[in-house]
Amino acid sequence: MWDVGGGAEVRGHPVVTALAQVVPTTHGVDERIDWNEPEEIWGTRFPADYVAFMEVYGAGELSESIGILLPVPRPEAYSDGSGLKDETANARGTWEMCGGRRVLDVDPDSMLAWGVTSGADIYCWLRTGDDPDVWPVLVCGRHANPQFQVHSPGMAEFLHRLLTDEEFQEETISVVLPKKHSFVNWREQQRRLEAGLDPSTGEPWGC
């Protein structure tokens, strides 16, 4: 465990450590998840990089456009307090509405959402086996081409590439990300909103 400067300490996952070199941890908060709870809800363990992300950053907004979801319901949470439930249902519904197995031959029950963008893209794991660390990342893209994409395992690796590879951005997200990357935990978003500030930037609205 070590400090990467200006915020939380990175706890031992190499890809989350690499991500912390790109995205400041200043506004990250350890969610202190009792992982027995989400494991009971979903009947599975969770990937180690996601566990580490929840310790270093927590749930909140990445680069003003990507919402990282809590693994458990918290009604008091800013934006989406349903945990993974609502966006998982949205991803499965989108897959079915857009052609189901005809467009992507997967079991819809294997989809488990962990992120959503302001452009209505949903990022999921495909639970393809018992080892969560090898689950591929599924993009359910609003304007992505193709709309459904399967990428190599690791949400942290996916996010690192998304933030550092402009060509990959064009393929996998329906909004333009700012050049300066940031993360704001949902608690800080809530504090800013209550103070009359833009939850994403901390600046007065319109600035």
Side-chain angles (χ1 to χ4, degrees):
M1 184 169 67
W2 58 94
D3 193 342
V4 296
E9 293 176 316
V10 174
R11 293 165 173 80
H13 194 282
V15 186
V16 176
T17 301
L19 189 63
Q21 307 305 314
V22 178
V23 182
T25 62
T26 308
H27 295 300
V29 176
D30 185 349
E31 297 290 352
R32 301 188 181 279
I33 301 295
D34 176 357
W35 289 97
N36 290 320
E37 184 179 355
E39 288 171 10
E40 184 175 341
I41 293 171
W42 295 102
T44 184
R45 293 185 297 112
F46 281 76
D49 61 344
Y50 179 69
V51 172
F53 193 99
M54 285 296 120
E55 293 176 346
V56 175
Y57 293 101
E61 186 179 66
L62 178 64
S63 285
E64 302 181 22
S65 300
I66 306 166
I68 307 299
L69 303 174
L70 278 164
V72 292
R74 281 188 181 157
E76 75 277 13
Y78 175 79
S79 185
D80 184 359
S82 73
L84 310 178
K85 180 181 177 182
D86 286 356
E87 292 302 339
T88 294
N90 288 339
R92 294 174 181 178
T94 299
W95 172 84
E96 184 174 3
M97 181 177 64
C98 293
R101 292 184 185 273
R102 180 174 54 81
V103 294
L104 183 67
D105 189 11
V106 297
D107 179 355
D109 289 341
S110 71
M111 298 179 190
L112 181 57
W114 53 262
V116 61
T117 77
S118 58
D121 311 296
I122 305 173
Y123 298 144
C124 306
W125 295 290
L126 278 179
R127 295 181 290 171
T128 53
D130 294 333
D131 183 354
D133 292 325
V134 298
W135 290 344
V137 170
L138 170 66
V139 175
C140 299
R142 184 177 183 184
H143 300 296
N145 185 22
Q147 183 174 11
F148 298 97
Q149 305 172 18
V150 179
H151 294 275
S152 55
M155 62 87 75
E157 178 64 38
F158 176 86
L159 291 173
H160 187 274
R161 188 177 176 193
L162 183 64
L163 297 178
T164 58
D165 184 334
E166 291 187 4
E167 185 175 339
F168 189 68
Q169 279 184 26
E170 292 178 4
E171 298 170 355
T172 53
I173 192 166
S174 298
V175 295
V176 177
L177 297 176
K179 295 295 184 182
K180 184 177 180 180
H181 302 307
S182 62
F183 182 85
V184 185
N185 186 272
W186 64 269
R187 295 168 182 81
E188 176 63 13
Q189 287 184 291
Q190 195 169 54
R191 185 198 68 78
R192 292 175 179 181
L193 186 66
E194 291 170 355
L197 302 173
D198 184 328
S200 297
T201 65
E203 300 291 335
W205 288 99
C207 294

